[in-house]
């Protein structure tokens, strides 16, 4: 149970729909003015708003790495001098938090919050499909790169140029610059969140389907426009591969 003290800001690191009833009831009783979600799964913000109607809902996109070590001990790392969270929501609220929290957060447009996970989550999904094997991910970058391009387009309606070569450079840079074993960390960390990863992929697929012309959204495969199907081909294939792993 949460303390009955007054809270100005509460950060939920668990998806709102996954909260135990007693925890959700405690949050309702506390009625914090601001609740920040770290989950960026499509629809979770609406769920939080319906569960906690007295609170203003923001999105905090983590810009850090966290890893449980022993027991309840958790270690964190983020690039020195950079914010820990990117915050998105009502401008006045984000600005007030920025004044209070200083460099811990930076306010960003909602489009940036939407685009950020769309860029990297497909690579996380591919890593999970490859059973957390970093080397296997590095040798299979074509599909997640194409899926990331499709996900960004679904999320913000913009096609960004992306390449497997650039992705490999980013992965190599992470291995060299991050002071933890990223190749081991990534497999362990994201392996615990495969269901959430799948939900994010499926959320972008739904968004892409809503953007497609009516004829392309037909339930009958033969009536769909081939171009609209191709636009989501890698994202759909990746989601199906991960779905088989999550549901087996």
């Amino acid at each position: 149970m949460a303390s009955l003290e007054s809270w100005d800001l509460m950060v939920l690191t668990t998806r709102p729909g996954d909260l135990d009833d007693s925890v959700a009831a405690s949050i309702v009783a506390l009625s914090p003015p601001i609740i920040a979600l770290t989950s960026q799964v499509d629809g979770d913000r609406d769920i939080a708003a319906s569960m906690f109607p007295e609170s203003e809902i923001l999105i905090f996109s983590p810009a850090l790495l966290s890893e449980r070590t022993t027991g309840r001990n958790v270690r964190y790392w983020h690039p020195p001098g950079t914010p820990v969270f990117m915050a998105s929501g009502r401008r006045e609220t984000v600005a007030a938090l920025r004044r209070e929290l200083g460099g811990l957060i930076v306010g960003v447009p909602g489009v940036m919050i939407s685009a950020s996970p769309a860029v990297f989550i497909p690579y996380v999904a591919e890593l999970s499909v490859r059973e957390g094997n970093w080397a296997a991910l590095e040798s299979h970058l074509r599909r997640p790169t194409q899926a990331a391009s499709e996900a960004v387009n679904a999320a913000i309606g913009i096609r960004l140029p992306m390449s497997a070569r650039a992705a490999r450079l980013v992965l190599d840079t992470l291995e060299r610059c991050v002071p933890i074993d990223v190749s081991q960390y990534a497999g362990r960390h994201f392996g615990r969140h495969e269901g959430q990863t799948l939900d994010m992929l499926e959320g972008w697929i739904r968004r892409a389907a809503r953007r497609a012309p009516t004829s392309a959204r037909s339930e009958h495969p033969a009536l769909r426009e081939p171009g609209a199907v191709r636009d989501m081909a890698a994202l759909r294939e990746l989601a199906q591969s991960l779905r088989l792993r999550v549901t087996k």
Side-chain angles (χ1 to χ4, degrees), residues 59 61 83 85-89 94 105-114 116:
I59 299 294
S61 178
F85 294 104
M86 296 186 294
S88 176
V94 173
I105 70 167
V106 60
V108 298
V111 67
M112 187 171 178
I113 291 285
S114 297
S116 177

Side-chain angles (χ1 to χ4, degrees), residues 2-248:
S3 166
L4 295 180
E5 298 175 358
S6 175
W7 291 64
D8 297 320
L9 167 68
M10 182 172 291
V11 180
L12 292 185
T13 59
T14 299
R15 296 181 64 185
D18 290 343
L19 291 172
D20 292 338
D21 291 343
S22 59
V23 175
S26 295
I27 296 173
V28 171
L30 287 170
S31 190
I34 304 169
I35 294 177
L37 300 183
T38 59
S39 171
Q40 295 168 69
V41 177
D42 195 31
D44 274 5
R45 185 173 188 166
D46 292 338
I47 292 172
S50 66
M51 292 175 65
F52 312 116
E54 300 302 316
S55 301
E56 182 175 355
I57 308 298
L58 303 183
I59 299 294
F60 272 18
S61 178
L64 75 160
L65 301 179
S66 64
E67 183 174 36
R68 188 179 299 277
T69 53
T70 58
R72 294 187 175 182
N73 296 321
V74 179
R75 65 173 177 171
Y76 302 90
W77 180 86
H78 67 98
T82 64
V84 178
F85 294 104
M86 296 186 294
S88 176
R90 195 165 62 92
R91 181 177 300 177
E92 294 80 4
T93 302
V94 173
L97 286 177
R98 181 72 177 82
R99 289 192 296 271
E100 293 292 329
L101 299 176
L104 288 176
I105 70 167
V106 60
V108 298
V111 67
M112 187 171 178
I113 291 285
S114 297
S116 177
V119 170
F120 77 86
I121 285 295
Y123 296 96
V124 168
E126 190 70 47
L127 180 63
S128 291
V129 169
R130 304 290 168 184
E131 300 183 340
N133 188 312
W134 187 266
L137 168 64
E138 289 185 309
S139 62
H140 293 83
L141 291 175
R142 181 201 59 79
R143 178 168 69 176
T145 298
Q146 182 59 38
S149 177
E150 294 168 4
V152 170
N153 187 45
I156 64 175
I158 297 174
R159 293 189 179 277
L160 296 180
M162 303 180 70
S163 73
R165 178 176 296 179
R168 183 169 288 104
L169 288 174
V170 171
L171 296 179
D172 290 343
T173 300
L174 286 174
E175 287 189 89
R176 289 195 304 269
C177 298
V178 175
I180 62 175
D181 189 337
V182 176
S183 62
Q184 295 296 318
Y185 163 83
R188 289 194 305 268
H189 178 78
F190 292 110
R192 295 194 296 268
H193 303 285
E194 290 177 348
Q196 181 168 321
T197 299
L198 177 60
D199 287 344
M200 296 185 79
L201 297 182
E202 292 182 335
W204 291 315
I205 291 171
R206 288 192 297 271
R207 286 197 193 189
R210 289 196 294 268
R211 289 180 183 275
T214 302
S215 58
R217 298 198 302 265
S218 170
E219 292 297 326
H220 197 295
L223 298 180
R224 295 185 185 139
E225 292 182 0
V229 175
R230 285 196 301 271
D231 284 347
M232 297 182 285
L235 197 55
R236 288 180 178 275
E237 181 185 317
L238 183 56
Q240 178 59 21
S241 295
L242 185 57
R243 189 180 302 113
L244 292 174
R245 178 174 172 82
V246 170
T247 58
K248 70 178 180 180

